[in-house]
Amino acid sequence: MPVPIPRPRAIPAVESGQAQVAHPGGPSREETPRKEAKVDNNAATNLTLLLIEDDPGGSPIVPDLLDTTGKPIRVRTARNLTEAERLLTDDVHCILLDLALAAPGRAEGGGDELAVLRHVLELAPRHAVLALTASGDAERGAEAVRVGAQDYLFRDELDGWLLSRAIRYAVERKRSDTAERKLAEGRLRAQENRRLERGLLPTPLLDGSSLRFAARYRPGRSRALLGGDFYDTVRTPDGTVHAMIGDVCGHGPDEAALGVELRIAWRALTLAGLCGDELLNTLQQVLEHERGDDEIFATLCTVDIAPDGRRAGLCLAGHPSPLIARPGHRPRLLPCDNNGPALGLLPGARWPRTQVELGAEWSLMLYTDGLIEGRVGEGRERLGQEGMVAMVGRQLAQGLRGEELLQAAVNEVRELNGGELTDDVAVVLLDRVP
C-alpha cells in the first residue's frame, strides 16, 4: 500500500473537491473550484495543484506549499479519474498523479503500468503533470517522463519545499514545451503554405510579350494565407497571351488545393494548344474527378489576347466579366451575353467564345467576386460591378497604374466594407502601352 502524503485531515476534499492549505497563525480557508477562460501560467493568482491519489486509509494530505511569491499553492484532491475529470478546470496549473492508481478497465497488476498516466495526459493535454512513484523506482519515473510527464517524484522523499519547486518547474517546462510545439507547427504550416502558394499564385510566363502584368491576392479566411481563388497567365509560342482567373466555391484548404489543381491543368492544356470551349470542357472533367463533393463547383474567366494585342477571345463560366479601360473612355465591362455555367454544374455544358476588340492601348482587369460583394457602409448594400467600375475609374483618373492601382482598389473595397472581407479576393491586371 502506498505511503500517504501528509495533509490536514479536517478537509472534506472529496465532498468539496478542494483541499485546504493551513495558514500559520490563522484558520484554514476552503478554496472552491473556479472556471477560468484559459490556462495562464503567468497569472498573478495562486497556483493550483490537482492531486490524484487513492488512499483507502484516510484523507491524504500534502505539506504547506508556497509559490515563488510566498503565496500558498491551492490543492484539490481526486481519488479516481472520474473525480479528477470533474475537478480539472482551466485554473488548474499542475497535476500530481500517483502511478499506483489503477487505470479504468485495467486489472490490478496487469496491462500497461503507465496506463493511468496515458489516460491523464489524454484527459489534460494542456496541463503540467508530475508523476509520483515509489522510492527507488527511478526507471518507472523516467519512463513516465518519456511518455509525457514533466517530472517524477519519490513518494517517501516528498516534502513541501521539494514539491513546491517541482510544481513550478513542471508548469514552466510545460509552458516551454507548448511554445516549442506551437513554433514547430507554425514552421510546418508555413512550409506547407509556401508550397501551396507556389501552386496557387504562379509566376506568369510572359517572356517575349510587351504586356505588363500585375496581380493581388487576399484570402478571406482569418489567419489564412490562401483561399479558393486562383489565376494564371502564359504566352504560347504563336505569341498569344492567355490569362485566366477562377474561384472554387468555399474558403477552406480543400478548396485551395482544388484551385491549384485547376490552375495547373489550365496551364498545361493551354500550352498544349487547347482554347475556349474545348479547354473549359476538359477542365470540368478535371474538377469532377478531383472534387471531394458533388456540390463543389468553380467559376472561371479566360481571355486569349491576339499577338498584335488589339483583340481577344473571352470565355465566361459563371464568372464576372472583366473590366477594360482605355484612354479617353470610361472603364466598362466586356460583354457577357454568352456567359456559360460554372464548371461542375451541368454535364455536357458549352462555353461560347466571344470575340472582343481591345484597341491600341488598354488595361484589362480580371477579378473574383470577392472584389464586388463587399458591403458599402453598415447597410446591406454591396459594391457590385457598377460600383467597382466607378471606383476603378476614379483611381485611374488619379494616375494609379499597375500594382498601385490594384492595391488601392483592394484597400478601398476593404474600407467600404468596414473591415476584413469575408470572401477571397484575386485581381489580375494586364496593360498594353504602345
Side-chain angles (χ1 to χ4, degrees), residues 126-419:
R126 297 184 296 114
H127 292 77
V129 177
L130 287 170
L132 193 61
T133 188
S135 177
D137 196 0
E139 183 176 347
R140 191 180 187 188
E143 181 63 23
V145 173
R146 285 193 290 270
V147 168
Q150 273 60 60
D151 203 351
Y152 69 92
L153 301 168
F154 293 134
R155 187 181 299 107
D156 54 354
E157 296 180 4
L158 202 62
D159 58 33
W161 180 87
L162 177 62
L163 182 55
S164 299
R165 179 178 178 276
I167 292 171
R168 294 194 298 270
Y169 169 77
V171 168
E172 290 303 315
R173 180 171 177 179
K174 182 64 176 181
R175 184 172 64 86
S176 176
D177 291 345
T178 300
E180 265 189 45
R181 176 179 54 79
K182 288 182 177 179
L183 181 61
E185 290 174 353
R187 288 172 177 168
L188 180 60
R189 185 164 54 249
Q191 292 173 358
E192 292 173 347
N193 284 331
R194 282 195 294 270
R195 287 195 294 268
L196 187 58
E197 186 177 30
R198 284 197 295 270
L200 195 60
L201 309 180
T203 301
L205 299 180
L206 289 176
D207 291 346
S209 173
S210 61
L211 300 183
R212 299 175 182 174
F213 171 89
R216 295 293 298 177
Y217 189 94
R218 191 184 191 95
R221 288 185 300 134
S222 175
R223 299 182 64 186
L225 295 181
L226 302 169
D229 293 1
F230 56 98
Y231 63 82
D232 203 353
T233 305
V234 299
R235 180 177 183 267
T236 48
D238 64 356
T240 301
V241 172
H242 303 260
M244 170 272 289
I245 196 165
D247 182 2
V248 177
C249 67
H251 310 287
D254 292 338
E255 288 77 9
L258 182 56
V260 171
E261 292 179 286
L262 291 175
R263 186 206 65 77
I264 294 174
W266 177 87
R267 175 175 283 201
L269 294 170
T270 299
L271 293 175
L274 274 66
C275 186
D277 183 74
E278 185 180 12
L279 185 149
L280 291 176
N281 182 62
T282 308
L283 279 180
Q284 174 159 276
Q285 295 179 44
V286 173
L287 183 145
E288 291 172 346
H289 284 293
E290 297 297 330
R291 64 186 176 185
D293 191 306
D294 290 343
E295 302 295 323
I296 299 296
F297 63 90
T299 65
L300 198 70
C301 168
T302 67
V303 176
D304 55 277
I305 303 169
D308 63 6
R310 292 178 172 270
R311 61 188 185 281
L314 170 66
C315 284
L316 297 173
H319 200 88
S321 184
L323 176 150
I324 184 170
R326 292 181 291 188
H329 298 79
R330 291 183 178 180
R332 64 180 179 86
L333 299 176
L334 292 181
C336 56
D337 299 338
N338 291 327
N339 194 346
L343 303 180
L345 291 183
L346 299 176
R350 302 301 298 271
W351 295 272
R353 178 177 177 273
T354 301
Q355 186 78 14
V356 295
E357 295 296 326
L358 301 178
E361 184 175 351
W362 47 263
S363 295
L364 188 64
M365 191 173 84
L366 286 65
Y367 54 92
T368 57
D369 57 9
L371 190 68
I372 59 177
E373 291 188 349
R375 298 186 184 278
V376 180
E378 297 181 357
R380 296 186 176 183
E381 182 183 358
R382 298 186 183 275
L383 178 64
Q385 288 180 289
E386 291 184 2
M388 179 203 66
V389 171
M391 177 189 70
V392 172
R394 292 194 307 271
Q395 293 166 346
L396 286 169
Q398 296 169 6
L400 298 179
R401 297 292 185 274
E403 292 279 357
E404 289 184 350
L405 174 63
L406 298 188
Q407 182 66 55
V410 173
N411 286 346
E412 184 168 339
V413 168
R414 180 180 176 277
E415 291 172 3
L416 290 172
N417 189 62

